[in-house]
Amino acid sequence: MSSGWPGRNFGRDIEDHAVASRAAPVIVHSDGAVSPVVGGTHASGDEASLPTLAAMPARWVLHRAGITNVYQYADETLHFAGGRLLLRGVNGSGKSTAMNMLLPFLLDADARRIDAAGEQSRVLRSWMLSGRDERQPVGYLWVELRRPSDAGEGGHTDEHLVFGCSIRANRSTDRITTWWFVTPRRPGVDLALVEGRVPLSADALRAELGAGALFTQDQRSAYRAEVRNRLYGGADIEQHVRLLHVVRSPRVGDRIDVDLPRYLEDALPQLSEAALEDAAQPLEDLEEHRRNVEDLRRTAAALDALEAVFRGYARSELRRRAGSALDSLAERASLVRAESSARHARERATAALATTEQAVTDLERDERRLSQEIAALKASEAYQQGAELDDLRAHVRSLADKVAAARARAARRAERRDEARGALRSAADEAVGDQSALTAELSELAALVLSGGLSPRPPEAPALAVRPLPAGALPGEAPFAAEVPEDGSEVDVDPPALGEVRAAAKVRVGDVVEVHEALEVTDRAERQLRSAEDALQGAERSLEAALSAFHEARAALSAMAARGRDDLRSWWEALLLHCSSQGLAPPAPVDLERADLVDARAEVSAALAQAVDEAADRHRQAQAQLAAQRDDRLAVLAECRARAAELAARTVPEPPALAWQAARAAPCLADLVDFAPTLAPAARAGLEAALEAAGLLSAEVRAAGAGVELGDGQLIVVGAGPVPEPLSALLSVTIPDELAGVVDRDGLAAVLDAVSTNAADLHTDDERTVVTTGGEFRTGALRGRHAKTLAEHVGVTARRASLERQRAEGAAQLAEASAALEATEASSAQVSARLEEALGLRRALPRADALADAAARARLREAALDDARRQRRERQDERAAADAAHSEAADASRRAAATL
């Protein structure tokens, strides 16, 4: 399809494009004139730019735009550079129209605001029907946006979004119908809006994209919402679109100094009163916040002081609880031993129970046997005969009962006699005993009076008169004498003498009580002294035990520290060996011989962990680099495989296309010509190099007419008449049979006749196209030179040989890529093994838990030793105080006794 407006010769009016950073393609006319072509567009103008999006990560950027069969455009694609487009040309060349067709029209879908000046009506009808003969023309306007590669999925694939409008006009009804679409598919890449030079209808587009991507004329609001959701996250951009309409108006500069501030203010979102109040409220609360901060500062100071007080309390409480925990552990060990003894006793009892149960079983068996034997005996005749003796036994028992009753009556009478005899004897004995007791008590009283130092003396015991009893006073008994007073009256001692003794005794009792009280004080002091001595001995025993436990804990800590130091040395040597064997820089040295290793164990462990982590990080970095290298080499391998498959499917090689040339859709010049037989190999290589550098080698040949072209703004050569030394003298037209009806042999020959091969024509003032056998070329104002060692694309033999060389190179590249990938995977496996070894070292880093426990036990034992020493000092003080109190009490009791 031809690029440009029908019937208009652009010549030098075609402008530069901002995306062209390399040599631009040109059009070579029949008269030798050249014109630059940019990005496939032939629009021109002074200067205008479309709205752009900042090329920032994760943001959409304008990439391409297209106009198909609208106004005077056939099928044009505009390319943006970094989201920007520059159109240059004379007035009236269509720059503003191109802008009006695309943005902001495709954003707001409002045909009433297409014209920037706002002076035209029915613009769409004019674009679709003016200057056309079609009854129902269909056209497309679209814009493509791209999300940069760093925001693409996986970081490797760009995202694309296309939104646009399809316009259909009906000449008979004078009606314009529009429908809108949003899709990730790209026109000209994976979406064809034109088939057979005819734009797709609405139904065909719906079938191609699906119903969800298409919006009818009545669904323009849904289309606008979809576009804004995709591009701006659903934000309202109406004020920005309104500002865009304002600034693109031709009359915006008439009062720009007065109106521009108002335009910009109108474009800003309005602030609500609630938002202003919310913003002002923190300022109003500032003073209260300051007071709160001051209160919090004072509270923090008070909490710090409280924390300092409770820290000491918590430390002492922790020591106490640690001691209690140690005691609990000792008690637990004792209980475990007791539990083991009880278990053994239970086992013995279980065995004894089993033996007893067996014995009970045997006895029950014997009982059943004996019961059976007794039953048998009762059933025997001898047992039945013995039953007759029961009557005789009953009579005997009756007689025995009578004898027992008589004997009982005799026994009762004897008992009464004995009681009377005993009472008489007791009365006599009591009289004698009373007299003896009185004598003894008076003697004891005299001794007490004498020992107590009392002056009064007790009376003497009175003498009793005796009267003999008559003989035979008691039946069956011999007579005896009893001492009784003759007159039968009671005997009394001298009461006045006993009163004096009683009074003197009371006085002495008071003295004794006072001495006893002093002695009790002395006894209490002595008991307290003994208790203090016992407590002191207990404290000394506790001190000895605490000192022994402290020495044991210190010895255990020293042994644990030595073992920990050895473990750390072994681990450090393993890490150094790992680093040296893997080619890593040695880690920063760590002092494992420091004297304070126990206290600095956390610091040393952290330093060692950091050292091994650094080694692991270096392995991870190498692993990440190899992973990236593997991805790159996988991509290269895939490209090599695709290239090899492509070369295997080809029968002839593809002629080289320059970077600015688009893909071909028609036969190119290299497919249709061959070298003259007389042309030397070096001349062939030079001529092919010149054709390749000038872009003629891969130029498309028109289906009809004389000329070749590169589609979408690429090189065009038109035959306009022969030159003195034409290219046709060195190249012959060789059209394959399958292209006989497609290519015009005479037209192609005319093009070859119009291209000069004379090196002198390279420096003439005209603009004819020149290629030479030395590799030099000129196309219009563009000239240069290219060199090749042999021809590769002109002639069937050369092309086949070139294809074989390309296949061999592709196979070699494929083998090299496979070997490189295998080497990378092997290196990755080695690095993974190294990383796992480093992680194993990290896991095997000696832990400081046992050392920390030993240090904690040593500290607890030291604290217990300090407590034991303090308690011994306290017990010593208590014992000294008790000794002083006992001495004072003993002296006081001795003084009281001596005084009394």
Side-chain angles (χ1 to χ4, degrees):
M1 182 177 295
S2 174
S3 298
W5 296 340
R8 179 174 295 184
N9 185 2
F10 283 89
R12 296 185 182 274
D13 292 341
I14 305 303
E15 76 287 350
D16 293 335
H17 194 291
V19 78
S21 59
R22 47 190 176 268
V26 295
I27 297 178
V28 181
H29 300 276
S30 58
D31 57 357
V34 295
S35 299
V37 178
V38 179
T41 178
H42 292 173
S44 62
D46 291 329
E47 58 181 23
S49 62
L50 297 178
T52 62
L53 294 175
M56 296 177 61
R59 291 194 177 186
W60 294 104
V61 179
L62 286 168
H63 188 226
R64 295 191 304 157
I67 305 173
T68 301
N69 202 31
V70 179
Y71 191 46
Q72 298 184 22
Y73 294 89
D75 190 5
E76 297 297 331
T77 300
L78 307 176
H79 295 267
F80 294 79
R84 295 174 172 82
L85 177 70
L86 176 64
L87 300 178
R88 296 190 302 177
V90 299
N91 291 336
S93 56
K95 303 184 302 300
S96 300
T97 301
M99 290 180 59
N100 294 340
M101 289 179 180
L102 299 175
L103 296 172
F105 171 58
L106 295 182
L107 281 176
D108 59 11
D110 189 354
R112 296 169 299 176
R113 298 194 293 181
I114 292 179
D115 179 25
E119 298 174 351
Q120 301 183 16
S121 60
R122 308 185 69 182
V123 177
L124 293 181
R125 180 186 180 284
S126 173
W127 286 350
M128 299 302 297
L129 298 179
S130 296
R132 296 176 181 269
D133 297 328
E134 300 170 82
R135 302 298 301 172
Q136 291 186 345
V138 176
Y140 283 91
L141 304 173
W142 54 271
V143 172
E144 179 187 281
L145 296 100
R146 177 178 64 88
R147 196 189 297 271
S149 59
D150 56 352
E153 181 179 357
H156 299 288
T157 304
D158 293 350
E159 296 180 57
H160 295 85
L161 180 66
V162 176
F163 58 95
C165 172
S166 178
I167 309 171
R168 183 180 64 190
N170 192 321
R171 187 176 298 278
S172 61
T173 61
D174 203 21
R175 180 181 178 184
I176 301 298
T177 303
T178 59
W179 60 92
W180 311 79
F181 59 93
V182 180
T183 178
R185 299 177 61 182
R186 307 176 61 193
V189 178
D190 54 1
L191 173 63
L193 297 178
V194 178
E195 291 183 356
R197 300 195 178 193
V198 177
L200 296 180
S201 64
D203 294 336
L205 183 63
R206 181 180 291 105
E208 185 72 17
L209 299 180
L214 206 63
F215 302 86
T216 63
Q217 184 167 316
D218 297 331
Q219 296 174 323
R220 286 178 297 175
S221 60
Y223 163 80
R224 287 193 295 267
E226 181 67 14
V227 170
R228 292 175 185 179
N229 286 334
R230 295 286 191 95
L231 295 182
Y232 306 103
D236 186 12
I237 61 169
E238 184 59 30
Q239 67 272 20
H240 305 296
V241 175
R242 186 165 55 250
L243 178 62
L244 186 60
H245 283 296
V246 171
V247 298
R248 63 195 285 263
S249 173
R251 295 185 296 273
V252 70
D254 295 344
R255 289 167 47 86
I256 190 169
D257 56 338
V258 177
D259 295 336
L260 182 60
R262 179 171 55 83
Y263 297 152
L264 297 177
E265 290 176 0
D266 293 341
L268 295 175
Q270 299 298 320
L271 294 176
S272 64
E273 292 296 331
L276 293 176
E277 291 177 0
D278 292 342
Q281 187 62 38
L283 297 178
E284 297 177 358
D285 297 340
L286 183 59
E287 186 61 30
E288 184 176 356
H289 291 334
R290 289 174 178 169
R291 290 194 299 271
N292 292 338
V293 168
E294 184 62 29
D295 293 342
L296 290 175
R297 185 179 296 109
R298 289 194 297 269
T299 302
L303 290 176
D304 290 340
L306 185 63
E307 187 265 344
V309 172
F310 275 92
R311 185 184 294 112
Y313 168 75
R315 186 181 295 109
S316 60
E317 182 67 14
L318 180 60
R319 289 178 178 174
R320 185 187 65 78
R321 294 192 178 185
S324 176
L326 292 175
D327 296 339
S328 298
L329 288 176
E331 183 179 358
R332 177 185 177 277
S334 176
L335 292 176
V336 168
R337 291 192 296 271
E339 189 266 343
S340 178
S341 300
R343 186 185 300 110
H344 294 321
R346 176 181 176 275
E347 292 174 354
R348 291 192 298 271
T350 301
L353 177 62
T355 303
T356 304
E357 289 177 348
Q358 181 62 36
V360 170
T361 302
D362 295 340
L363 291 175
E364 289 177 350
R365 185 170 58 252
D366 294 341
E367 181 185 5
R368 288 193 297 272
R369 180 177 56 79
L370 292 175
S371 298
Q372 294 174 358
E373 292 178 356
I374 291 171
L377 289 175
K378 288 182 177 180
S380 63
E381 182 179 358
Y383 181 81
Q384 296 295 333
Q385 291 176 357
E388 296 176 356
L389 298 176
D390 291 341
D391 296 337
L392 296 175
R393 292 191 181 98
H395 180 66
V396 171
R397 283 195 298 273
S398 175
L399 296 176
D401 291 339
K402 293 178 179 180
V403 171
R407 289 178 177 174
R409 287 193 298 273
R412 285 195 296 273
R413 291 173 181 174
E415 287 178 358
R416 287 196 297 270
R417 184 198 63 194
D418 292 339
E419 288 176 357
R421 185 185 295 119
L424 179 60
R425 186 182 291 111
S426 296
D429 292 341
E430 183 178 359
V432 176
D434 290 343
Q435 197 271 341
S436 298
L438 178 60
T439 302
E441 287 183 359
L442 290 176
S443 299
E444 183 180 358
L445 179 60
L448 290 175
V449 168
L450 182 62
S451 63
L454 300 180
S455 55
R457 294 290 184 268
E460 297 292 335
L464 296 179
V466 295
R467 180 175 54 85
L469 294 176
L474 295 176
E477 294 292 336
F480 65 92
E483 296 178 354
V484 296
E486 292 181 355
D487 55 2
S489 63
E490 293 183 356
V491 179
D492 191 10
V493 297
D494 186 8
L498 291 178
E500 294 176 357
V501 172
R502 187 180 297 110
K506 287 183 178 179
V507 173
R508 181 59 65 186
V509 166
D511 296 339
V512 172
V513 169
E514 183 177 354
V515 173
H516 282 176
E517 289 177 353
L519 290 176
E520 287 179 359
V521 172
T522 304
D523 292 340
R524 284 197 300 271
E526 185 176 2
R527 288 193 298 273
Q528 290 177 356
L529 176 59
R530 286 196 296 271
S531 176
E533 290 176 348
D534 293 340
L536 177 59
Q537 293 176 358
E540 290 177 348
R541 288 193 298 270
S542 299
L543 177 60
E544 292 176 359
L547 185 60
S548 176
F550 172 70
H551 290 315
E552 291 177 359
R554 295 296 296 180
L557 177 59
S558 299
M560 186 65 68
R563 288 197 298 272
R565 197 185 302 273
D566 293 339
D567 294 341
L568 291 177
R569 287 197 197 98
S570 301
W571 186 90
W572 181 252
E573 292 172 357
L575 177 60
L576 293 178
L577 179 61
H578 172 79
C579 293
S580 62
S581 63
Q582 306 304 332
L584 300 178
V590 179
D591 186 9
L592 300 179
E593 306 300 329
R594 57 194 300 175
D596 59 341
L597 181 62
V598 175
D599 296 331
R601 58 188 179 276
E603 178 184 352
V604 172
S605 297
L608 296 177
Q610 181 180 1
V612 71
D613 289 343
E614 290 175 355
D617 289 340
R618 287 194 287 270
H619 290 318
R620 290 190 184 95
Q621 292 173 3
Q623 193 177 47
Q625 293 173 357
L626 288 173
Q629 187 182 73
R630 179 179 180 276
D631 294 339
D632 295 340
R633 291 185 173 178
L634 279 173
V636 172
L637 181 61
E639 293 177 359
C640 292
R641 287 174 177 169
R643 175 65 175 164
E646 180 185 0
L647 291 174
R650 286 186 178 277
T651 56
V652 292
E654 181 73 14
L658 299 182
W660 46 266
Q661 293 176 323
R664 293 183 297 105
C668 65
L669 183 64
D671 297 330
L672 307 173
V673 296
D674 197 355
F675 291 114
T678 58
L679 196 61
R684 293 185 179 190
L687 182 59
E688 183 175 304
L691 291 171
E692 181 179 338
L696 295 174
L697 195 63
S698 57
E700 298 180 5
V701 178
R702 292 181 178 179
V708 294
E709 67 177 18
L710 283 90
D712 294 335
Q714 299 182 50
L715 179 64
I716 299 176
V717 179
V718 181
V723 295
E725 296 182 17
L727 182 59
S728 58
L730 303 179
L731 295 178
S732 60
V733 178
T734 56
I735 300 176
D737 296 338
E738 64 271 13
L739 299 177
V742 177
V743 178
D744 183 1
R745 178 183 294 272
D746 295 336
L748 181 57
V751 171
L752 299 180
D753 290 338
V755 178
S756 173
T757 60
N758 187 357
D761 292 339
L762 293 169
H763 306 289
T764 59
D765 293 335
D766 58 13
E767 296 181 353
R768 69 182 60 184
T769 301
V770 181
V771 292
T772 70
T773 56
E776 296 176 301
F777 67 92
R778 189 186 75 175
T779 55
L782 180 65
R783 59 173 56 87
R785 187 178 184 277
H786 184 42
K788 298 182 67 174
T789 58
L790 73 161
E792 298 177 300
H793 303 290
V794 176
V796 176
T797 301
R799 299 180 73 183
R800 289 177 178 172
S802 175
L803 180 60
E804 291 302 325
R805 287 193 300 273
Q806 293 179 15
R807 288 174 177 172
E809 292 175 358
Q813 292 174 356
L814 179 59
E816 182 180 357
S818 299
L821 179 60
E822 291 176 358
T824 300
E825 290 178 344
S827 299
S828 179
Q830 293 177 357
V831 172
S832 297
R834 296 169 185 172
L835 176 59
E836 183 59 32
E837 182 179 350
L839 294 178
L841 282 174
R842 182 65 172 87
R843 292 190 293 270
L845 178 63
R847 298 175 58 86
D849 296 345
L851 187 59
D853 294 341
R857 284 194 293 272
R859 286 194 297 269
L860 289 175
R861 296 306 183 190
E862 184 177 5
L865 179 60
D866 294 338
D867 291 340
R869 287 172 176 168
R870 178 182 54 77
Q871 290 177 4
R872 186 185 66 171
R873 288 193 299 270
E874 293 176 355
R875 299 294 89 78
Q876 287 175 343
D877 295 341
E878 291 175 358
R879 191 253 184 201
D883 190 13
H886 176 263
S887 298
E888 182 178 356
D891 292 343
S893 61
R894 282 193 295 270
R895 286 194 301 271
T899 301
L900 297 175

